[in-house]
Amino acid sequence: MLRSLAVRAARRGGALAVQQQRSFAEGAVATQTNVWDELGDLVTSDEGKRELAVLRSTYVDIAGKLASMAKPQDPINWGEWSKEIDPKLVQQFKQTFESMKLPKYEGNDVAEASAQFAALQKEAEALVAASQSRIAEIKAEIANIQKEKERIATTTIDDELAADPELAKEVDEEVQKNYFMV
């Protein structure tokens, strides 16, 4: 009988472990900033926006599940159990439950995850800096192309030949040899 009491109490102790997991999950749910709008501004294609919406939906689902896990459990109502079960048995359960000492989790998973996240964050910042410089280069290139496009729209053949005397000489030679129709 004591063995069964201990087993039941241990199962109930599992609820404490779940409660510890929930408190960890609660910390995981807390986000630093909401960047979905910023990400939405960066994505331009329809397919990219669909993928971002799927990612956001998945994130919201996971965050909701973690938030529901983070809720604390109600304490055991020993009086209610005493009404349904033999009070002596309930008292034994209560004593066993209160005398239980659960081992503390001594893992360093959170520290390792934080270190990995810091490394990823550093890499992401380097990529952002590289992207910003590349964006500046591309914008400069686009501006040069626009200037060239405007110049080409107003340039005549005479202007081009005046700018490149060798080309003008070559064209004149071909015209004199009647190669201009080829």
Side-chain angles (χ1 to χ4, degrees):
M1 180 163 174
L2 285 176
R3 180 182 295 165
S4 64
L5 288 175
V7 168
R8 290 181 187 158
R11 286 184 186 151
R12 201 59 167 151
L16 289 177
V18 169
Q19 190 172 8
Q20 288 174 341
Q21 289 174 347
R22 287 182 179 163
S23 65
F24 177 74
E26 187 176 69
V29 170
T31 56
Q32 294 177 355
T33 57
N34 187 355
V35 296
W36 294 110
D37 293 334
E38 293 175 24
L39 287 173
D41 293 341
L42 295 175
V43 177
T44 57
S45 70
D46 290 339
E47 183 179 337
K49 289 185 182 200
R50 279 192 298 272
E51 289 295 323
L52 184 62
V54 169
L55 180 63
R56 185 176 190 175
S57 172
T58 303
Y59 173 79
V60 168
D61 290 344
I62 291 171
K65 288 177 183 176
L66 288 175
S68 68
M69 286 177 58
K71 294 177 184 172
Q73 286 189 326
D74 297 332
I76 299 171
N77 187 349
W78 297 107
E80 184 179 316
W81 284 102
S82 294
K83 292 176 187 174
E84 297 178 19
I85 304 174
D86 181 23
K88 291 179 182 177
L89 182 63
V90 173
Q91 186 61 30
Q92 287 177 342
F93 269 111
K94 184 177 178 182
Q95 288 174 352
T96 306
F97 179 74
E98 290 174 351
S99 67
M100 278 183 16
K101 293 186 178 157
L102 297 174
K104 289 194 173 195
Y105 180 70
E106 297 179 11
N108 58 351
D109 295 338
V110 174
E112 289 176 5
S114 295
Q116 289 175 348
F117 181 73
L120 289 173
Q121 186 73 22
K122 187 175 182 181
E123 181 181 343
E125 289 171 357
L127 290 173
V128 165
S131 295
Q132 293 295 338
S133 65
R134 183 67 180 134
I135 287 171
E137 291 173 11
I138 291 172
K139 284 184 178 180
E141 192 173 320
I142 289 172
N144 289 338
I145 290 171
Q146 284 290 27
K147 287 179 186 176
E148 185 67 18
K149 187 176 176 183
E150 291 170 6
R151 186 189 69 79
I152 289 173
T154 59
T155 301
T156 63
I157 293 176
D158 292 333
D159 294 338
E160 280 297 317
L161 293 176
D164 190 357
E166 288 185 26
L167 179 64
K169 183 179 176 186
E170 185 180 327
V171 169
D172 285 340
E173 289 174 5
E174 288 180 2
V175 168
Q176 287 176 1
K177 294 179 182 175
N178 288 328
Y179 290 142
F180 59 90
M181 296 299 281
V182 177

